[in-house]
């Protein structure tokens, strides 16, 4: 179910999600002084929610009337992505001592590959390929 055009659209939506993710994370961590992993999780969840809407409408063009089921599937994929994201951030930041935001960026890139593949093959599996 891979097409370069669809993957580019997914990445554009993902980039908007990165902005949401990093902004929420920064506000929660730096502004509100929350725990960095709680802030990271909040940013990730906000980005996953906006990404679902844009991916459903623009990337995959889904007309599935079972929006709650599809959103639930997207959330499951996102939660696995969140676990991967936090694990990668923890390993890079706590163990290897990479800057927290550099670790977060690296984790985001890796988790993008997971999210696209899982959403293509599971969440939006019934969507026909386009260009």
């Amino acid at each position: 179910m891979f097409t370069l055009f669809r993957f580019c659209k997914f990445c554009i939506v993902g980039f908007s999600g990165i902005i949401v993710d990093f902004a929420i994370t920064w506000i929660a961590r730096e502004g509100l002084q929350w725990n960095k992993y709680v802030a990271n999780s909040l940013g990730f969840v906000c980005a996953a929610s906006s990404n679902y809407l844009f991916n459903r409408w623009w990337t995959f063009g889904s007309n599935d009337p079972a929006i709650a089921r599809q959103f639930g599937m997207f959330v499951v994929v996102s939660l696995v992505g969140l676990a991967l994201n936090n694990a990668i951030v923890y390993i890079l930041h706590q163990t290897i001592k990479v800057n927290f935001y550099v670790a977060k960026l690296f984790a985001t890139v890796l988790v993008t590959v997971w999210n696209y593949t899982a959403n293509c093959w599971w969440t939006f599996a019934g969507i026909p390929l386009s260009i």
Side-chain angles (χ1 to χ4, degrees):
M1 296 207 74
F2 178 86
T3 68
L4 183 57
F5 184 63
R6 184 177 277 174
F7 182 72
C8 288
K9 289 167 79 172
F10 187 85
C11 287
I12 291 167
V13 170
F15 183 73
S16 74
I18 289 171
I19 293 169
V20 169
D21 187 351
F22 274 70
I24 297 295
T25 300
W26 187 85
I27 290 166
R29 178 158 190 244
E30 306 302 333
L32 301 174
Q33 300 296 307
W34 288 6
N35 173 279
K36 59 188 150 194
Y37 298 106
V38 172
N40 185 49
S41 298
L42 179 63
F44 194 89
V45 167
C46 290
S49 297
S50 67
N51 283 357
Y52 168 72
L53 295 172
F54 288 121
N55 278 314
R56 175 181 165 82
W57 168 70
W58 188 55
T59 305
F60 295 98
S62 175
N63 294 319
D64 188 343
I67 294 171
R69 178 189 56 80
Q70 190 180 59
F71 181 69
M73 294 167 75
F74 191 87
V75 167
V76 167
V77 170
S78 296
L79 288 173
V80 171
L82 173 60
L84 292 170
N85 187 286
N86 276 328
I88 293 165
V89 168
Y90 178 82
I91 290 166
L92 292 176
H93 181 64
Q94 294 297 122
T95 307
I96 303 175
K97 304 299 182 199
V98 173
N99 174 277
F100 177 76
Y101 291 104
V102 171
K104 183 170 175 54
L105 181 61
F106 185 75
T108 300
V109 170
L110 292 178
V111 171
T112 296
V113 174
W114 154 257
N115 284 341
Y116 180 75
T117 303
N119 280 304
C120 277
W121 289 89
W122 190 48
T123 309
F124 299 104
I127 308 300
L129 289 175
S130 59
I131 299 174

